[in-house]
Amino acid sequence: MVLDGASVVAPWLQQVLEDSVRKRASDIHFEPFESHLSIRVRVDGRMIPLVQKPISWMPAIASRIKVMADLDIAECRLPQDGRIVFRVDGHPVTLRVSTISTVSGESIVVRVLDQRAAPRNLESLGMPEDILEGFRKCLKSPHGLIVITGPTGSGKTTTLYGALKELNTPELKILSAEDPVEYELEGVMQTAIQPEADVTFPSLLRSFLRQDPDVIVVGEMRDAETARIAVQAALTGHLVITTLHTQDSTSVVARMIDLGIEPYLIASTLVGVVAQRLIRRKCKACSGAGIGCVDCLHTGFKGRIGLFELFRVDRCMRDLIAEGASTAELRQAARSGGMRSLRKVGMEAVDAGLVARVDVLSLSTD
């Protein structure tokens, strides 16, 4: 069967995109295989099969998505990235499109950025009161480095934007380097990374330091050069907020050493670290009965909540870091000082009936 052109694809694809947004999907996957095209969505962190179509549909679907995202429809070998802006039920939605070539055709993933889900403030993150209070104290530091850490998909960007909302006052000049800019915040000077134009994290950071900032946001501290400039900015009187990929809060020190930052510089600049995970929330409509319902797509879960671990760097911690203490030693000292682990915070949510025990055990470490 050969698909009968764009007249069939366009309305069908529009319906798939709109239905996926209504299902609260964070990502839509168009996956070509030898015998079929699989379309799946990620809802509350879990992949859900949506529909299968003949593999002959994929070229027309790929072309239509590329047209919508203003990509090169003739380029099928090299990866491409683009954006689609449209409305669903009257609400603005931005779709980030990523394409790669596979042995069976182009695989396309569409990230859904629903403006209704844009972060509002720190309270909306659902941090426990003591962790929220401690994080706010970190944000009040006049200078230094604050790190938000966790694996991909753990909600780091949402926490980052929540921190920006907290800091965004007329008294502060805030500059933000992001890859990409997911939500626009009035009052914050946001710049997107553009490697093809040599606009990178290191080049932007150098330019930022000439813009008289109070707060500098680095979307991700992903290489040695970015880490070095970020630490230098923190040393010279700026508050720097960034993200990293580590399993817990105290592991950030080892990761920064891996990036070439000396322990004494980490001790001098690091103010605090928030480690986090996102975990499925039990459906309020049916969790008592233990079964799924229409409201939660028959999964028993609807939405996600965050688990947070806050590592605050006090004088004792600075001494340990400067002396080259191991991650295990830092973790033990932090817990002796009152830090609650991700798993402990998660088990508190289990006891409150918010989440499933199995999810906490699988997504957090002790």
Side-chain angles (χ1 to χ4, degrees):
M1 171 184 174
V2 178
L3 188 62
D4 183 21
S7 61
V8 175
V9 167
W12 175 85
L13 180 61
Q14 184 74 18
Q15 192 64 52
V16 168
L17 296 177
E18 291 181 3
D19 288 348
S20 298
V21 172
R22 294 186 183 108
K23 285 183 169 70
R24 302 176 288 105
S26 62
D27 302 87
I28 310 165
H29 295 247
F30 297 85
E31 303 168 314
F33 296 96
E34 183 178 358
S35 61
H36 67 278
L37 165 65
S38 173
I39 299 153
R40 299 189 293 170
V41 294
R42 188 178 296 278
V43 178
D44 297 335
R46 301 297 178 96
M47 294 289 281
I48 299 176
L50 194 63
V51 68
Q52 287 190 0
K53 292 293 182 181
I55 188 60
S56 58
W57 282 55
M58 192 60 208
I61 292 171
S63 295
R64 177 59 184 168
I65 292 176
K66 287 179 181 179
V67 169
M68 295 172 70
D70 197 25
L71 299 178
D72 184 356
I73 63 173
E75 180 56 72
C76 300
R77 296 171 298 174
L78 299 178
Q80 297 190 71
D81 296 287
R83 295 171 75 89
I84 301 170
V85 179
F86 74 126
R87 302 182 76 84
V88 177
D89 300 331
H91 299 285
V93 177
T94 299
L95 306 178
R96 275 174 30 204
V97 177
S98 172
T99 75
I100 62 169
S101 177
T102 74
V103 294
S104 300
E106 283 188 280
S107 172
I108 299 177
V109 176
V110 178
R111 167 64 59 88
V112 179
L113 300 174
D114 190 339
Q115 298 302 314
R116 289 172 294 179
R120 293 177 293 277
N121 50 47
L122 286 181
E123 283 84 358
S124 68
L125 300 178
M127 288 183 176
E129 191 59 39
D130 59 324
I131 293 178
L132 177 60
E133 181 182 354
F135 187 39
R136 279 187 160 139
K137 288 181 179 178
C138 292
L139 292 173
K140 289 179 181 178
S141 300
H143 54 79
L145 180 67
I146 297 174
V147 179
I148 301 166
T149 189
T152 300
S154 59
K156 297 187 298 297
T157 300
T158 301
T159 301
L160 187 66
Y161 277 108
L164 282 177
K165 290 269 189 176
E166 184 87 0
L167 292 168
N168 189 13
T169 65
E171 292 77 27
L172 293 178
K173 171 78 171 186
I174 304 176
L175 296 173
S176 179
E178 304 174 43
D179 183 24
V181 175
E182 294 193 0
Y183 300 101
E184 295 185 16
L185 300 176
E186 182 158 355
V188 178
M189 299 293 98
Q190 296 171 271
T191 305
I193 299 302
Q194 302 177 64
E196 67 280 1
D198 200 29
V199 179
T200 62
F201 281 123
S203 67
L204 273 178
L205 282 177
R206 293 190 195 95
S207 299
F208 281 2
L209 292 174
R210 296 190 289 270
Q211 290 279 312
D212 187 32
D214 296 295
V215 180
I216 295 174
V217 176
V218 184
E220 183 182 344
M221 198 159 59
R222 61 176 60 156
D223 56 63
E225 187 177 11
T226 303
R228 179 179 56 80
I229 301 172
V231 168
Q232 187 62 39
L235 281 170
T236 54
H238 306 89
L239 182 62
V240 179
I241 308 175
T242 188
T243 71
L244 269 176
H245 290 81
T246 65
Q247 289 301 310
D248 60 19
S249 59
T250 51
S251 297
V252 161
V253 174
R255 177 65 183 128
M256 290 182 67
I257 292 173
D258 287 343
L259 289 172
I261 306 302
E262 291 84 354
Y264 77 91
L265 289 175
I266 301 172
S268 299
T269 56
L270 192 60
V271 173
V273 180
V274 173
Q276 64 183 78
R277 299 288 191 280
L278 286 178
I279 192 167
R280 299 181 299 172
R281 180 194 291 270
K282 287 184 177 179
C283 176
K284 295 179 180 179
C286 67
S287 59
I291 58 174
C293 64
V294 174
D295 200 38
C296 64
L297 306 179
H298 301 285
T299 64
F301 299 88
K302 183 177 180 181
R304 291 188 288 178
I305 65 173
L307 304 182
F308 299 93
E309 175 183 277
L310 177 63
F311 172 43
R312 294 186 65 191
V313 182
D314 56 18
R315 185 185 298 274
C316 175
M317 287 299 173
R318 294 190 195 284
D319 291 342
L320 287 173
I321 293 171
E323 293 166 2
S326 68
T327 298
E329 290 170 332
L330 291 174
R331 184 182 299 121
Q332 180 59 44
R335 291 183 182 178
S336 297
M339 183 185 80
R340 302 190 343 268
S341 69
L342 283 167
R343 176 166 292 182
K344 183 173 179 58
V345 173
M347 294 311 294
E348 291 170 0
V350 171
D351 293 341
L354 299 175
V355 301
R357 180 182 298 268
V358 64
D359 285 350
V360 171
L361 297 180
S362 66
L363 291 180
S364 63
T365 58
D366 194 20

